[in-house]
Amino acid sequence: MSPHALVRASLLVLATVLAGCAQLDQRGDLSGPVAIAPKFSVGQRWTYRGSEGFRSPLVWQETHEVTRVAADGITVRVTLDGDRVHGTREEILAAPGVVRQGALMDIETRRFATPLDRFRFPLASGETWNQWVDNFNETTNKQGQINRYVRVGGWEKVSTPAGVFEAIRMRVLMRLDDEEFWRYPTTCNYLIWYAPAVGAPVREEKEAQYYEKGEEFDGTGAIRAQHTLIELVAWTK
């Protein structure tokens, strides 16, 4: 396949994905209120249950705790504890939803040259934003540029181990900066439900994949890089 044909095919696939996501994101109550930015205080804590994989999934507990609130930013300590995963990292927010340092896909730590709008408050149904952000990945010790597109959907009642919440749904599409000579970048397709009553997401469904170069159109198919479910277990009001 020629380079021009490859570009056309890639654009067609992207357009199909975006069109399909736009239809899915029309579910729920689109006439609901906007979700305003939460107010953080030291000691606030959210505990999640994470699961990654299919037949024998990796399971862990993930706790996010606010450790500092100041005029120059908010610090959140993230602790993971499980049979095969554990560790601690810090996220730094310039403001609620605006990330200077944090993770995108996994448990990596990235420093963003321009703050990343994880949530662009107030969240309103139908709103979209698209960012290209330079960043430094401390896990891989590499610089790169990621693309993150967000579309805010409707309101839904979401059941979690912590209870049932009114939440606004967000579709997140990302293109990461992990291309190598043998593979194309990872693409991510996430659904996030944000509940104002909690001041944080209550459920996240994460899917990611990539293609090896030369095999994207030979029938081999995409290589799955992520199949994750994260649900709220408890939080401090």
Side-chain angles (χ1 to χ4, degrees), residues 19 64 101 105 120 138 162 175 206 226:
H64 297 228
Q101 174 181 299
M105 174 182 169
R120 187 170 286 181
E138 293 185 355
R175 178 184 182 275
K206 300 182 175 184
Q226 188 179 33

Side-chain angles (χ1 to χ4, degrees), residues 1 34 37 41 55 58 97 102 116 119 123 133 136 171 216 229:
M1 179 175 290
V34 298
S41 60
R55 294 183 179 179
L58 177 70
L116 181 84
F119 304 109
L123 295 173
V133 184
F136 179 78
R171 172 79 63 177
E216 64 273 27
L229 173 63

Side-chain angles (χ1 to χ4, degrees), residues 57-86:
L58 177 70
V59 178
W60 69 92
Q61 180 172 286
E62 184 172 322
T63 302
H64 297 228
E65 182 175 0
V66 179
T67 59
R68 179 178 180 270
V69 177
D72 62 345
I74 302 159
T75 302
V76 180
R77 182 174 62 237
V78 181
T79 304
L80 296 97
D81 185 21
D83 291 339
R84 290 174 285 166
V85 59
H86 62 275

Side-chain angles (χ1 to χ4, degrees), residues 21-22 28 36 41 55-56 62-63 79 89 100 105-106 126 148 150 163 202 228:
C21 290
I36 64 173
S41 60
R55 294 183 179 179
S56 180
E62 184 172 322
T63 302
T79 304
R89 60 183 177 84
R100 288 179 181 156
M105 174 182 169
D106 248 330
R148 188 172 184 272
V150 181
V202 294
T228 300

